[in-house]
Amino acid sequence: MRHIMRGIAAMGAGALLILGPGIGAAQAAGTDLCISINGEVRVQMGTATCSSVPSETGQPNRAFAKGANAEAIAGEVEGDSGNTARASGDGALAWAVYGDNNTATASAEDSTAWATFGDHNTATASGDGSRATLVAF
């Protein structure tokens, strides 16, 4: 009887080890996340997308996207520096491009924020389907 109990206990522990990583992988498969810093995509999972360009100053370009089909772009052309784009929510879009130290934050489903064509611009869209655009020439 003791051998049977030890076998069941050992099998139970092994089953937990086998299921443990599988459960984590299944949860990670449902995560949509992308992080790009200074031209390098550091994390890309699911359908979220992001990009950034290398900064020519000490201020990096940073793009963060979280949500199904979320997209974040920080810096678009050579010379863009210190831009931050954050898209959080399914279908959210944030672009901080064509300038320096711009911040675009879209923090709801299908929201869009553009901070572009200038320096030190901030655009924030925080409600479902909301739009925020700051364009400075």
Side-chain angles (χ1 to χ4, degrees):
M1 182 73 168
R2 286 186 183 169
H3 292 347
I4 293 172
M5 293 304 285
R6 285 184 195 153
I8 291 172
M11 189 169 65
L16 289 176
L17 291 175
I18 292 169
L19 290 176
I23 291 170
Q27 289 172 341
T31 300
D32 298 292
L33 177 67
C34 190
I35 300 170
S36 178
I37 300 173
N38 252 1
E40 181 182 334
V41 175
R42 308 242 174 133
V43 175
Q44 204 296 307
M45 297 186 306
T47 62
T49 59
C50 61
S51 68
S52 62
V53 297
S55 173
E56 294 180 357
T57 70
Q59 297 291 331
N61 290 304
R62 300 170 299 176
F64 308 94
K66 183 177 181 188
N69 300 307
E71 177 180 279
I73 297 176
E76 181 80 353
V77 297
E78 185 178 327
D80 285 353
S81 297
N83 296 302
T84 302
R86 290 184 185 91
S88 179
D90 293 350
L93 172 67
W95 282 33
V97 295
Y98 301 115
D100 298 328
N101 301 304
N102 295 314
T103 301
T105 305
S107 59
E109 186 173 318
D110 295 319
S111 59
T112 302
W114 294 71
T116 185
F117 293 112
D119 299 332
H120 304 283
N121 299 314
T122 300
T124 303
S126 58
D128 288 353
S130 62
R131 305 284 182 258
T133 305
L134 193 119
V135 179
F137 290 98

